[in-house]
Amino acid sequence: MSKKVLVVGGVAGGATTVARLRRLDEDLDIVLFERGEYISFANCGLPYYIGGVIEERDALLVQTPEAMKNRFNIDVRVQNEVTKILRDEKKIEVKDLNTGKTYEESYDYLVLSPGSTPLKPPIPGIDAPNIFSLWNIPDTDAIDAYIKENCPKSAVVVGGGFIGLEMAENLHGLGIEVSIVEMLDQVMAPLDFEMAEIVHEHIKLKGGNLYLGDGVKSFHTKDGKTTVTLQSGKTIETDLVILSIGVRPNSELAKDAGLELNERGGIVVDDNLRTSDKDIFAIGDAIEVVDFVNKNKAMVPLAGPANKQGRIVANNIVGREEKYKGTQGTSVAKIFDLTIANTGNNEKTLNRLGKKYHEDYLISFIQAKSHAGYYPESLPITIKLIFDLDGKVLGAQAVGYKGVEKRIDVIATAIRFEGTIYDLKELELAYAPPYSSAKDPVNMAGFVAENILNGDVDTIFWNELEELDKENTIILDVTNSEEREMGYVEGSINIPVNELRDRLDELDKDKLIVSYCGLGIRGYIASRILTQNGFKAKNFAGGFMLYRSLFCKDKEDCGGKSLSEDIQYTDHGEIKSVGTESGKENILRINVSELTCPAPSKEINIAMEKLDDGDILEILSSNPNFSESMKVWTKNTNNTFIKGKKVDKGFLVTIKKGLNK
């Protein structure tokens, strides 16, 4: 007699399980129960359907009950809710939601794939008709219909995780003004704070409003408008609210059956994904997993692991024993033009586990280009690599515009194979100018990590600056004078790196010298010069670009003195007379995106010398912080900053020579 396998819940885990089971055993009696109408849909694609990026609703339906029956001979029962597990009898109790009738079904093996549910805390006014959560197809239909019928002008997204930020992007794409409210001091919890700050800057650049470190106290809805009152007392008036606060595991069925749960309600499983009942397996969002890096228990609700778990369970049911080795939390998200990716453990996780920087782990922090800098449209990638004192890679985060997920995937692979920073530096990765550099950013992260482990450079990070003994520390800016006009660390002294060897007598060997440049490479070179000449030196990781994003939010300068997206840029820079709203204007357009520091600042000065007062200079750069730098530069040089924006080929800044009169 054939074995009977019942699977509770579809989507990623459940649908994968039944398909794999059938491919392995044609004789199994397989039944899939789903209390909703859809057994397998692309939940990660839901925000993009609402935003119109995915045009066809049917594209979200990965598998239908009819297709599953026809191809795999699976008995699929949608809108059938499993209400009880009768473990002693090896039966389940099921309610047909269409008829209201209850029936029982026996099993040899039971697989639980119940998923999770969005959190909906008891906030006053949370049940208003214009307040939604996004988790499934019916949620998607409801939000889509509301937008089409009511044409909201504004929206508040509560929660700065994956779904919240993806919804913010897609609502913004529909022309809706978006505000994001996050109780933590940052969005994207898998990132460490300094990496999240890059995301914050980008959201603001795109016109989004951010309310960080502030939760929702109440909602008050009247005449289709909702007033969102925050814990701080601030209020936001909006037409639409999307809740994306977090999820909880759907483990009530397992709990009522007496299966072991953890303190967060996650179903406890062994490394074969068996529950405390040997004939019942569990997978997906609802289970407790092992963190692959630190080997502690964790809850990681991601689609990739759920799919793999479904395959492993199917293998185990048919006798092909396989173990689930843990989840490392590799993920990626697109937030407006920015790509954010991570894998393994971040610093926050390590600190929570009692691990300490310098004592248990180290960090390399680099800012590299997505491909060869001399090839057009090369854009920056920031990579934070975390490794232990033996060089074993523990985690990585990357933020940028192109090629971000490629680099994180390489590092994720290294982590899965217990790789080290030495492996990263030795990897032979595909190279051609449009795709990478001869020394790929992954290699560069490994090189910098090796320098740190070997003691070739001593690095200081942003959160260590306040701990410095200011009386016995020199902050050394090794950029050139033109760059310094774009801002600098208050209290720093300036000696360009190319002049440093000839000016060492200006520095005190009894003091610690912290060098910095725009991104970090010249600061590193300076620290090597200083160290080999008997100075105590550290390099500030991330350079002034990171310093500005963290410490210069509320003022245009940082220690400084008290048009069209389809423009075809030319290197020679011809002054052209162009008709504008204010009449004819002389415009000079230059492209500094392929130049490395200090060349961009020199090119800007040369260009300005060609212009008369009132003429316009448009500059294309690959530096995301270029707009902020030019605000400071124009202030210090008595010119006028007009605007800065992200365009397809980089970041476009428009300035006017002279001051507005």
Side-chain angles (χ1 to χ4, degrees):
M1 181 181 293
S2 62
K3 298 279 187 180
K4 187 174 184 180
V5 182
L6 306 184
V7 179
V8 181
V11 196
T16 297
T17 302
V18 296
R20 176 66 174 171
L21 281 170
R22 178 58 74 220
R23 290 196 297 270
L24 294 177
D25 191 333
E26 189 67 19
D27 296 325
L28 279 177
D29 185 3
I30 306 169
V31 187
L32 174 63
F33 299 89
E34 171 57 54
R35 66 182 172 187
E37 187 178 346
Y38 305 94
I39 59 164
S40 184
F41 59 89
N43 47 3
C44 297
L46 302 182
Y48 301 100
Y49 173 71
I50 292 171
V53 178
I54 297 172
E55 297 181 359
E56 297 297 328
R57 181 178 179 277
D58 285 351
L60 299 171
L61 305 179
V62 178
Q63 190 66 273
T64 65
E66 296 76 19
M68 184 71 80
K69 171 66 176 176
N70 292 336
R71 177 163 296 181
F72 295 107
N73 189 26
I74 307 295
D75 183 355
V76 179
R77 303 180 192 178
V78 295
Q79 294 182 298
N80 275 244
E81 181 178 7
V82 177
T83 56
K84 188 179 295 186
I85 301 173
L86 308 170
R87 289 172 55 194
D88 292 340
E89 303 173 47
K90 296 190 71 171
K91 291 180 180 179
I92 60 171
E93 186 179 277
V94 187
K95 182 177 182 179
D96 186 326
L97 300 180
N98 289 313
T99 66
K101 293 182 178 179
T102 298
Y103 63 95
E104 293 181 350
E105 198 74 51
S106 63
Y107 65 84
D108 291 292
Y109 295 106
L110 178 64
V111 181
L112 302 179
S113 180
S116 53
T117 299
L119 292 173
K120 191 174 182 181
I123 299 172
I126 200 170
D127 293 320
N130 63 341
I131 299 178
F132 302 90
S133 293
L134 177 64
W135 199 243
N136 54 32
I137 296 289
D139 294 339
T140 306
D141 291 339
I143 295 170
D144 185 55
Y146 187 88
I147 291 173
K148 288 175 178 175
E149 291 170 12
N150 296 278
C151 300
K153 299 286 191 299
S154 61
V156 169
V157 176
V158 183
F162 288 94
I163 294 176
L165 294 186
E166 288 167 351
M167 275 303 302
E169 174 193 349
N170 281 279
L171 292 172
H172 177 272
L174 294 174
I176 298 171
E177 181 183 358
V178 178
S179 298
I180 299 165
V181 177
E182 171 55 59
M183 188 178 294
L184 300 176
D185 62 355
Q186 66 166 85
V187 300
M188 297 298 289
L191 297 182
D192 287 318
F193 181 76
E194 71 274 20
M195 300 294 285
E197 277 286 77
I198 304 171
V199 185
H200 300 160
E201 292 290 322
H202 187 68
I203 291 171
K204 293 173 186 175
L205 177 67
K206 302 301 288 190
N209 305 308
L210 269 178
Y211 297 84
L212 299 174
D214 211 348
V216 175
K217 184 177 181 181
S218 67
F219 300 102
H220 178 70
T221 303
K222 184 178 180 181
D223 299 328
K225 288 277 188 181
T226 295
T227 299
V228 184
T229 302
L230 305 183
Q231 297 289 348
S232 64
K234 295 177 182 176
T235 59
I236 313 167
E237 189 174 84
T238 189
D239 301 318
L240 171 67
V241 176
I242 303 293
L243 301 175
S244 184
I245 302 171
V247 297
R248 62 171 180 81
N250 292 331
S251 55
E252 295 86 355
L253 191 64
K255 180 181 178 181
D256 291 343
L259 298 177
E260 183 182 355
L261 306 182
N262 67 13
E263 59 184 14
R264 295 175 58 186
I267 303 171
V268 175
V269 295
D270 64 14
D271 52 12
N272 292 115
L273 300 171
R274 281 187 173 87
T275 68
S276 51
D277 185 317
K278 65 179 180 63
D279 295 320
I280 302 177
F281 296 81
I283 57 177
D285 291 3
I287 70 167
E288 176 185 79
V289 296
V290 171
D291 183 307
F292 183 81
V293 175
N294 62 52
K295 308 307 179 187
N296 287 281
K297 302 294 185 180
M299 302 282 291
V300 187
L302 292 172
N307 275 283
K308 296 175 183 67
Q309 291 159 12
R311 181 183 177 91
I312 289 170
V313 161
N315 288 349
N316 285 324
I317 286 174
V318 301
R320 299 186 179 188
E321 185 172 326
E322 184 175 354
K323 298 182 184 300
Y324 184 68
K325 297 176 183 177
T327 302
Q328 65 193 74
T330 306
S331 61
V332 64
K334 175 182 175 294
I335 310 301
F336 299 102
D337 306 305
L338 207 59
T339 299
I340 301 124
N342 72 282
T343 188
N345 285 180
N346 57 26
E347 257 198 288
K348 290 179 293 186
T349 299
L350 295 174
N351 295 160
R352 190 171 63 248
L353 296 171
K355 305 292 185 182
K356 295 181 179 180
Y357 177 56
H358 285 308
E359 295 181 17
D360 301 293
Y361 67 90
L362 296 168
I363 298 164
S364 76
F365 190 97
I366 69 158
Q367 289 165 319
K369 292 293 185 75
S370 56
H371 56 254
Y374 57 81
Y375 189 88
E377 300 179 34
S378 177
L379 293 172
I381 299 175
T382 301
I383 299 178
K384 179 176 182 177
L385 182 72
I386 304 173
F387 50 97
D388 69 16
L389 273 57
D390 293 320
K392 182 180 177 182
V393 181
L394 303 177
Q397 302 153 52
V399 179
Y401 296 85
K402 296 163 65 176
V404 172
E405 71 291 344
K406 167 184 172 180
R407 274 67 190 211
I408 284 296
D409 281 344
V410 171
I411 298 172
T413 304
I415 290 175
R416 183 56 60 162
F417 293 115
E418 311 255 326
T420 68
I421 59 103
Y422 306 107
D423 296 314
L424 297 186
K425 79 184 187 74
E426 292 170 2
L427 286 173
E428 186 176 328
L429 302 172
Y431 160 61
Y435 302 105
S436 183
S437 299
K439 291 182 286 190
D440 187 85
V442 172
N443 299 135
M444 291 301 300
F447 293 150
V448 174
E450 182 185 42
N451 287 340
I452 292 169
L453 275 179
N454 287 348
D456 293 333
V457 64
D458 195 353
T459 304
I460 188 169
F461 284 86
W462 65 274
N463 52 357
E464 298 177 288
L465 291 176
E466 291 185 359
E467 301 171 7
L468 291 173
D469 178 356
K470 294 183 180 179
E471 295 296 321
N472 292 296
T473 302
I474 296 172
I475 306 296
L476 178 62
D477 177 354
V478 298
T479 66
N480 64 21
S481 57
E482 293 94 343
E483 289 176 274
R484 190 166 170 84
E485 288 179 337
M486 297 182 183
Y488 54 84
V489 176
E490 190 171 357
S492 64
I493 66 170
N494 180 221
I495 302 177
V497 68
N498 290 349
E499 301 175 16
L500 184 57
R501 290 182 181 87
D502 297 326
R503 297 174 61 181
L504 291 174
D505 57 352
E506 298 177 30
L507 301 172
D508 187 344
K509 282 192 175 182
D510 292 328
K511 294 186 176 183
L512 171 67
I513 301 175
V514 176
S515 58
Y516 77 87
C517 62
L519 297 176
I521 182 63
R522 286 173 293 165
Y524 162 63
I525 293 169
S527 72
R528 292 297 300 150
I529 293 171
L530 291 165
T531 300
Q532 294 178 83
N533 280 277
F535 290 86
K536 295 177 292 183
K538 291 177 181 280
N539 181 35
F540 177 61
F544 188 69
M545 180 183 288
L546 177 64
Y547 184 90
R548 182 193 295 284
S549 69
L550 289 164
F551 299 111
C552 311
K553 298 187 197 68
D554 299 325
K555 49 187 177 179
E556 286 188 355
D557 59 340
C558 205
K561 302 173 186 176
S562 291
L563 292 155
S564 168
E565 297 193 10
D566 59 356
I567 294 172
Q568 299 299 309
Y569 288 86
T570 58
D571 291 331
H572 54 277
E574 299 176 1
I575 300 175
K576 296 182 179 179
S577 184
V578 177
T580 67
E581 293 179 1
S582 56
K584 287 277 186 179
E585 288 186 323
N586 291 326
I587 296 179
L588 175 60
R589 296 164 178 164
I590 63 172
N591 184 352
V592 301
S593 58
E594 296 166 26
L595 304 178
T596 57
C597 293
S601 54
K602 290 183 177 179
E603 287 297 312
I604 292 167
N605 281 319
I606 292 170
M608 291 296 281
E609 290 176 1
K610 297 180 181 180
L611 301 177
D612 296 325
D613 279 0
D615 289 347
I616 301 297
L617 178 63
E618 289 184 336
I619 314 157
L620 183 69
S621 171
S622 59
N623 179 355
N625 283 3
F626 186 62
S627 179
E628 295 303 312
S629 297
M630 291 308 297
K631 286 179 183 177
V632 179
W633 184 87
T634 52
K635 181 179 179 181
N636 289 342
T637 57
N638 294 320
N639 294 294
T640 303
F641 180 88
I642 298 176
K643 64 181 177 180
K645 64 178 179 178
K646 171 75 174 68
V647 295
D648 287 344
K649 296 182 179 181
F651 303 88
L652 179 66
V653 166
T654 304
I655 62 177
K656 178 184 287 187
K657 183 166 183 176
L659 298 173
N660 279 328
K661 297 179 180 178

